[in-house]
Amino acid sequence: MRGDFLAGKMALLWTGSTHVTYENTDLQRDYDLVEKAGKLARQAVLPGQESIQQLAEAVGVSYQMQLQEGMQPLQEHGELGKKYCGGGWGGYALYLFETEQQREEFLRLEGSKAIEPYIDS
């Protein structure tokens, strides 16, 4: 099944700050990094080529772009990759883990939520 390699490995964490996305729409973006992250992510989820490591690399490229835009660094929790969700600048952050056990430990944090991939069977 597509996406099953991600089951039990993703979670969200509330960053503790709210934001208004439209207030940040005029900021400069590095669209080369957007493209790079997208291509890496696509490759990582292709059937028969699923790679959580490559997906973590894609998430990391997106996160580095977010830091370059001025977003605050996210807390470390032993993850493979992390990034702000949506427009960033607050709200929720995605955390990607190598094992289900690592995610279970993360879920003990206040403001964390387990999420699962959509799996098309």
Side-chain angles (χ1 to χ4, degrees):
M1 282 191 216
R2 262 179 87 170
D4 61 344
F5 75 105
L6 292 173
K9 298 181 180 165
M10 295 186 299
L12 297 175
L13 182 64
W14 176 248
T15 64
S17 63
T18 60
H19 65 291
V20 179
T21 301
Y22 73 82
E23 291 177 355
N24 298 309
T25 56
D26 290 335
L27 297 174
Q28 292 296 318
R29 303 211 81 187
D30 185 337
Y31 289 104
D32 290 335
L33 286 180
V34 172
E35 181 180 16
K36 179 179 179 180
K39 285 181 177 180
L40 285 168
R42 178 188 179 277
Q43 195 66 32
V45 299
L46 286 174
Q49 299 179 43
E50 296 94 344
S51 169
I52 195 160
Q53 296 294 332
Q54 190 170 12
L55 187 58
E57 183 181 350
V59 169
V61 168
S62 182
Y63 178 57
Q64 288 308 310
M65 183 186 70
Q66 291 175 334
L67 293 176
Q68 288 174 10
E69 291 175 1
M71 294 177 210
Q72 293 298 309
L74 295 166
Q75 296 175 350
E76 299 279 332
H77 292 287
E79 67 281 344
L80 286 175
K82 64 183 173 228
K83 69 178 290 298
Y84 286 92
C85 294
W89 299 96
Y92 283 94
L94 168 77
Y95 283 78
L96 178 64
F97 296 94
E98 188 167 14
T99 69
E100 291 182 40
Q101 178 61 37
Q102 289 171 319
R103 183 183 79 163
E104 289 306 311
E105 290 174 21
F106 176 84
L107 291 175
R108 294 185 189 133
L109 296 172
E110 185 177 338
S112 64
K113 296 180 182 290
I115 58 171
E116 299 297 341
Y118 171 76
I119 300 176
D120 186 7
S121 55

